[in-house]
Amino acid sequence: NAGVTQTPKFRVLKTGQSMTLLCAQDMNHEYMYWYRQDPGMGLRLIHYSVGEGTTAKGEVPDGYNVSRLKKQNFLLGLESAAPSQTSVYFCASSYDRIYEQYFGPGTRLTVT
Amino acid sequence: AQSVSQHNHHVILSEAASLELGCNYSYGGTVNLFWYVQYPGQHLQLLLKYFSGDPLVKGIKGFEAEFIKSKFSFNLRKPSVQWSDTAEYFCAVIEGLSGYSTLTFGKGTMLLVSP
């Protein structure tokens, strides 16, 4: 089992460019999450999904969109990147809302 | 909204010293509690979790944590740290009964263990 995988691992964008981050999990989990990690801020939830075809906003959703067309994939989109979106992005999945989350390796995004 | 407070942002210890990292949360109802660890350059991994039962829970690599409901605390402990324990540690809490709450993380504690 690969667990949770994320692509790409690194990306540099110019302000205003768009991109999509892909998260895939092979554990048949219903719940999937996107977080951003910034120094001294811990992990903050951007969006999450409780099942295929569903999405919901987290703590810091502005400037991001998500889609969950297939149960195993959860996409995070930036339509017009801003320097404030420079961060490390982690995807996670879990069997249920209250259970342990499994994390991917992260994507380091720099917006110049 | 619930909040999670980790008291120390940075901790420096020598090998073999004992470790205690503080974690307090704000929600007064039923909670599930977690400690995650992030080794340099890696993703978060679960150290231990508490759902119910014995308030003293044991995790991987010799770590343990004690849930004290009256103090809203879930402190992480290890009797003797090793250089390989150098990492960032995150406490996380979720309301156990609400169908809509999500996991809330503390800001993390960076532990540096000197050999």
Side-chain angles (χ1 to χ4, degrees):
Chain A
N1 285 351
V4 180
T5 59
Q6 293 182 231
T7 53
K9 288 185 170 50
F10 302 92
R11 186 73 187 267
V12 178
L13 288 180
K14 295 187 187 303
T15 298
Q17 287 184 320
S18 64
M19 77 164 293
T20 301
L21 282 67
L22 171 64
C23 175
Q25 52 96 3
D26 61 3
M27 297 174 282
N28 202 34
H29 285 166
E30 290 291 340
Y31 288 71
M32 296 187 75
Y33 314 84
W34 276 108
Y35 293 92
R36 59 177 291 171
Q37 183 181 29
D38 303 291
M41 300 294 290
L43 273 78
R44 292 181 292 170
L45 183 64
I46 304 171
H47 287 280
Y48 64 102
S49 168
V50 303
E52 182 179 316
T54 74
T55 63
K57 293 181 180 180
E59 180 186 354
V60 288
D62 294 342
Y64 305 94
N65 56 75
V66 288
S67 64
R68 182 105 180 263
L69 299 179
K70 292 183 178 180
K71 185 177 183 178
Q72 64 267 35
N73 295 339
F74 195 29
L75 278 63
L76 177 71
L78 286 72
E79 291 186 348
S80 179
S84 61
Q85 294 176 306
T86 293
S87 187
V88 180
Y89 292 86
F90 286 99
C91 176
S93 72
S94 66
Y95 173 73
D96 191 78
R97 182 183 60 84
I98 62 171
Y99 291 163
E100 171 190 357
Q101 293 185 16
Y102 294 81
F103 284 82
T107 296
R108 184 173 294 275
L109 174 66
T110 302
V111 183
T112 61
Chain B
Q2 65 183 334
S3 63
V4 179
S5 175
Q6 293 184 237
H7 313 300
N8 308 100
H9 297 300
H10 293 89
V11 173
I12 301 174
L13 294 173
S14 299
E15 273 193 316
S18 63
L19 170 71
E20 181 160 3
L21 301 182
C23 173
N24 286 90
Y25 60 93
S26 61
Y27 182 65
T30 300
V31 290
N32 291 348
L33 300 149
F34 305 84
W35 275 97
Y36 284 88
V37 61
Q38 186 177 29
Y39 297 104
Q42 296 189 25
H43 61 283
L44 273 77
Q45 304 169 46
L46 183 71
L47 265 183
L48 48 80
K49 60 189 176 188
Y50 173 81
F51 285 1
S52 63
D54 188 343
L56 184 62
V57 293
K58 295 190 183 301
I60 61 171
K61 304 187 180 186
F63 286 91
E64 64 179 31
E66 185 175 13
F67 171 52
I68 303 179
K69 189 173 182 179
S70 60
K71 295 184 177 180
F72 301 92
S73 70
F74 190 54
N75 292 355
L76 181 70
R77 299 195 292 249
K78 186 171 184 180
S80 175
V81 296
Q82 301 173 313
W83 176 80
S84 58
D85 293 324
T86 293
E88 191 160 19
Y89 294 80
F90 294 94
C91 180
V93 178
I94 188 168
E95 295 172 28
L97 298 179
S98 165
Y100 300 100
S101 68
T102 54
L103 194 63
T104 300
F105 284 86
K107 289 183 166 51
T109 297
M110 182 66 73
L111 171 66
L112 176 62
V113 179
S114 57

